[in-house]
Structures are given as C-alpha cells and as structure tokens.
Amino acid sequence: MHRHKFDALLVSSPPNVRYFTGFDSQFWESPTRPWFVVVPLEGDPVAVIPEIGAPEMALTWMKDIRTWQAQPGQCGH
C-alpha cells in the first residue's frame, strides 16, 4: 500500500473480507446487503456491514464495526 501511495483499501468480496476479519458466514448470499472492510495504511481495519451481521462479526478480532440498517427485500437507493 505504501509503495503505491494508497491511504486505504476497500474490500468487499467474501474471500477478502474473510482474509482481513476471519469472518465467514452464509450472509454473503444476499446481494442486497453488501459487506465492506476499510483497511487503512495505518491502524486497524473497519468493518462496514449490515446490522444483522454485527453480533457475529463481534466474535472476530474486529473492534471497529459500523453497521447500516438492512431490511429483507430492501434495495439500495
């Protein structure tokens, strides 16, 4: 990251989120509820996930978990 002058990475694919957080779940099967992890150049990663996944993500080593409300069948606008 430093070599390419990236301040942070935004990852969203299940394998990448799993790599950085250790979180693995069937929640990935919902395309209307995307999951993101911001990996800063310095400091700990930040999970930005649907609130339904927060309790399970809290079981990982992640400390900064930010959620957004996602209702079943809801699409993003």
Side-chain angles (χ1 to χ4, degrees):
M1 288 174 55
H2 188 270
R3 182 177 66 176
H4 294 288
K5 298 183 179 170
F6 293 152
D7 292 327
L9 295 176
L10 175 67
V11 297
S12 60
S13 69
N16 290 331
V17 172
R18 188 178 310 113
Y19 176 81
F20 284 104
T21 67
F23 181 79
D24 192 19
S25 173
Q26 291 184 338
F27 284 127
W28 301 119
E29 297 177 19
S30 175
T32 60
R33 295 186 186 110
W35 294 57
F36 306 100
V37 175
V38 178
V39 182
L41 181 60
E42 296 182 14
D44 292 335
V46 178
V48 183
I49 63 173
E51 64 186 1
I52 192 170
E56 286 190 47
M57 183 65 81
L59 297 174
T60 71
W61 72 277
M62 296 292 293
K63 292 187 180 15
D64 193 347
I65 302 168
R66 303 180 193 199
T67 63
W68 52 275
Q69 186 176 16
Q71 303 294 326
Q74 176 184 12
C75 359
H77 293 118

